[in-house]
């Protein structure tokens, strides 16, 4: 196999742009061979998913980059870390974990990454433009960038997202290339439960396509045109949790799918799925591991990170009786600033809301160890929390989550 | 000694030998492998409880979260990783994990791409040796 290096790639390998960039480019070249890419392209931006601590090797890698004098070459945002640096007192794990987690977050900042610490960089000033070539880690962000924005990234992960950031280059393969972005699965929404809100519909559809489309890019037909970005965010996050979806086309809603023919690139789909209201109800039910009426320990919202629009929808729901249990809301520090600017922090606290920035309850040790059942409006959180946290989980709409927090048990509206 | 040798493609260079562990189903290292012990912990994996440490790990393909690279690198750092990995499909997660362990700790866990027609013969052996150089790799039955 021969990699076609540009003159710039050769300079990177030879160390003209520093030892850190040379190290990153060597690794990137080996990665390119493994994915059968033949050359590299320029990227405009990167999103690095490396600051969640799960072992010494990740820290050693970033510290090696620092020792080699490395700096990122393109604007680079950071995913969530293990610790809420704004509210460090929330952390309930070991001191060693907190220390290493904090070190790992700070080490990335030393390399020149922005202190965004969010899994939803598309909700920030760093949002890429349509058609931009980027190298992003974090499955929900990848799905959103490709699908909702029409930017172009593969599923980059451990170490490689940072190597792309350090070189400004990415292997030319997969979703960077137009010919690989056409839908190969057709998903028809034949009927929708008439009492559902759009967010729940999005989660049920996302969860189902993740499980059933395998590696095929789906084109979804029949989603209501009123679906907003937060709904599509929930859809992508659910699909990228139950499956490996990096790009979906919602016909009539997402930019590369003005119509079905365009979404499919004139190819006939390899797979056809027809989802009925009953399939979708079953999908939503499968996300709960407890029965309705079960006692709750906490509610968790904001996986992926809550947007300011979602806060605006949450505020009126909190009017009335205060909840019996804690509500955790995960958001970026930038969104937290906006919440404060709007004067919402005090009323949220009064309604037993704990605001969590920089991290997310489902990946971090924030809730009490004895926590039993957590309710969430997120398909992603419902999918991962039982394994990551050892908790039972109930899935419900935002309104159901708030009503259930008030009752201390799983309620359906 | 080596009665039979097979050509393979080098994904990560190095030399190793040892007893084989053939995976019956794909394994996601993230959430599926305990890097501290090298034990398979995926509750749904048929070989749950088996150890990859020091084994010639035969896994046709990869699976799962990209966080698997860090898990593999961490297992190798702790001396609980496989001796080598033999695959039938290129897998970036595996390659990156092994590369990072080589770069950071000088620990060679060669990764080679075998020929599907020879897979059963390799899997029937008790022990294998692999020599993976930049020009190409050889897998031999010991």
């Amino acid at each position: 196999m021969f990699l076609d290096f540009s003159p710039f790639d050769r300079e990177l390998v030879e160390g003209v742009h520093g030892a850190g960039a040379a190290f990153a480019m060597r690794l990137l070249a080996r990665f390119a061979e493994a994915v059968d890419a033949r050359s590299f392209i320029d990227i405009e931006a990167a999103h690095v998913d490396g600051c969640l601590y799960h072992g010494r090797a990740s820290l050693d890698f970033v510290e090696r980059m620092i020792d080699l004098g490395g700096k990122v070459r393109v604007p680079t945002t950071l995913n969530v870390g293990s610790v809420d640096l704004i509210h460090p007192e929330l952390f309930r794990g070991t001191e060693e974990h907190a220390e290493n987690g904090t070190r790992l977050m700070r080490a990335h900042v030393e390399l020149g990454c922005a202190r965004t610490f969010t899994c939803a960089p598309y909700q920030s000033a760093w949002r890429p433009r349509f058609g931009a070539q980027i190298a992003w880690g974090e499955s929900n962000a990848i799905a959103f960038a490709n699908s909702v924005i029409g930017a172009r990234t593969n599923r980059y992960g451990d170490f490689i997202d940072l190597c792309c950031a350090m070189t400004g280059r990415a292997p030319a393969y997969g979703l960077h290339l137009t010919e690989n972005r056409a839908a190969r699965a057709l998903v028809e929404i034949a009927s929708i439960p008439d009492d559902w809100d759009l967010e729940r519909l999005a989660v049920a559809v996302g969860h189902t396509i993740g499980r059933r489309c395998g590696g095929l890019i789906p084109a979804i037909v029949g989603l209501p045109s009123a679906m907003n970005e937060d709904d599509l965010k929930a859809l992508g996050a659910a699909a990228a949790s139950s499956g490996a979806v990096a790009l979906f086309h919602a016909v009539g809603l997402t930019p590369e799918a003005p119509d079905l023919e365009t979404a499919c690139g004139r190819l006939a789909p390899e797979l056809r799925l027809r989802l009925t209201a009953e399939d979708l109800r079953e999908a939503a039910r499968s996300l709960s591991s407890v029965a309705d009426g079960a006692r709750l320990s906490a509610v968790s919202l904001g996986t992926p990170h809550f947007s300011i629009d979602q806060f605006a929808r949450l505020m009126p729901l909190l009017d009335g009786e205060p909840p019996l249990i804690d509500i955790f809301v995960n958001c970026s520090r930038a969104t937290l600033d906006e919440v404060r600017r709007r004067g919402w922090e005090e009323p949220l606290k009064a309604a037993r809301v704990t605001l969590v920035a920089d991290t997310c309850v489902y990946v971090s040790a924030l809730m009490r160890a004895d926590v039993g059942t957590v309710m969430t409006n997120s398909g992603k959180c419902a999918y991962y929390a039982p394994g990551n946290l050892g908790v039972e989980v109930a899935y419900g709409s935002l309104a159901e989550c708030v009503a259930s927090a008030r009752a201390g048990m799983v309620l359906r509206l | 000694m080596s009665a039979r040798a097979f050509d393979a493609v080098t994904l990560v260079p190095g030399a190793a030998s040892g007893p084989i562990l053939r995976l019956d189903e794909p394994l996601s290292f993230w959430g599926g492998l305990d890097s501290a012990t090298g034990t398979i912990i995926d509750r749904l994996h048929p070989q749950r409880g088996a150890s990859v440490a020091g084994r010639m790990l035969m896994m046709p393909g990869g699976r799962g979260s990209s966080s698997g690279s860090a898990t593999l690198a961490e297992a190798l750092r702790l001396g609980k990783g496989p001796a080598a990995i033999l695959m039938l499909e290129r897998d970036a997660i595996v390659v990156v994990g092994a590369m990072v362990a080589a770069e950071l700790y000088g620990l060679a866990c060669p990764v080679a791409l075998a020929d599907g027609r020879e897979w059963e013969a390799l899997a029937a052996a008790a022990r294998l040796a692999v020599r993976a150089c930049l020009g190409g790799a050889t897998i031999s039955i010991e």
Side-chain angles (χ1 to χ4, degrees), chain A residues 1 23 26-27 30-31 33-35 54-57 60-61 64 156-160, chain B residues 11 13 30 66-70 73-74 77 90 92 95-96 99-100 103-105 134:
Chain A
M1 171 118 38
F23 175 45
R26 279 206 308 277
L27 205 56
R30 190 51 55 76
F31 175 85
E33 285 177 354
V35 297
H54 36 62
R56 183 75 221 181
D60 287 343
F61 183 75
R64 168 70 66 88
Y156 292 106
D158 284 356
F159 310 122
I160 290 301
Chain B
L11 295 182
W30 188 74
S66 60
S67 293
S69 306
E74 181 70 0
R77 179 182 79 83
R90 293 169 186 274
V95 165
V96 169
M99 276 288 295
V100 166
E103 292 273 356
L104 290 182
Y105 311 114
L134 288 178

Side-chain angles (χ1 to χ4, degrees), chain A residues 11 15 25 64 99 110 131 134 221 245 343-344 368 371 395:
Chain A
E11 287 177 15
M25 193 64 201
R64 168 70 66 88
E99 215 166 89
E110 247 182 89
I134 57 176
V221 178
V245 173
W344 290 346
R368 284 184 311 279
V371 81
Y395 167 77

Side-chain angles (χ1 to χ4, degrees), chain A residues 40 104 120 232 252 256 269 274 334 360:
Chain A
F40 297 87
L104 188 61
L232 294 172
E256 290 170 78
R274 192 170 174 278
C360 189

Side-chain angles (χ1 to χ4, degrees), chain A residues 33-36, chain B residues 9-12 26-27 57-64 85-95 111-116 119:
Chain A
E33 285 177 354
V35 297
D36 226 353
Chain B
V9 175
T10 298
L11 295 182
V12 179
L27 174 70
L57 186 64
M58 296 184 67
M59 48 189 286
R63 199 199 113 211
I85 301 174
L86 306 179
M87 310 192 77
L88 286 177
E89 286 169 16
R90 293 169 186 274
D91 184 81
I93 294 169
V94 170
V95 165
V111 182
L113 204 56
D115 188 321
W119 192 252

Side-chain angles (χ1 to χ4, degrees), chain B residues 26-52:
Chain B
L27 174 70
S28 166
F29 288 140
W30 188 74
L33 180 74
D34 177 11
S35 56
T37 61
T39 309
I40 296 173
I41 52 170
D42 180 343
R43 275 189 245 178
L44 300 177
H45 198 278
Q47 284 149 301
R48 181 184 177 202
S51 173
V52 305

Side-chain angles (χ1 to χ4, degrees), chain A residues 117-239:
Chain A
F117 301 125
T118 181
C119 54
Y122 45 81
Q123 289 171 181
S124 74
W126 304 83
R127 182 180 168 115
R129 62 180 179 88
F130 175 82
Q133 296 286 4
I134 57 176
W136 275 24
E138 166 53 40
S139 66
N140 102 82
I142 292 161
F144 192 97
N146 276 316
S147 314
V148 184
I149 298 176
R152 298 180 171 206
T153 179
N154 288 306
R155 297 171 68 228
Y156 292 106
D158 284 356
F159 310 122
I160 290 301
D161 47 10
L162 187 59
C163 289
C164 293
M166 308 284 296
T167 56
R169 303 285 279 167
Y173 79 109
L175 297 178
H176 289 301
L177 310 176
T178 302
E179 62 266 31
N180 297 324
R181 296 177 66 85
R184 308 296 292 124
L186 173 59
V187 180
E188 184 199 346
I189 312 297
S191 57
I192 296 170
D194 45 21
D195 54 335
W196 274 20
D197 59 16
L198 294 179
E199 186 194 46
R200 188 188 327 233
L201 173 64
V203 168
V205 170
H207 183 70
T208 307
I209 64 173
R211 294 187 65 160
R212 296 184 55 188
C213 290
L216 300 176
I217 296 169
I220 312 163
V221 178
L223 289 174
S225 60
M227 276 210 162
N228 64 28
E229 279 206 355
D230 287 314
D231 300 324
L232 294 172
K233 164 174 96 168
L235 193 162

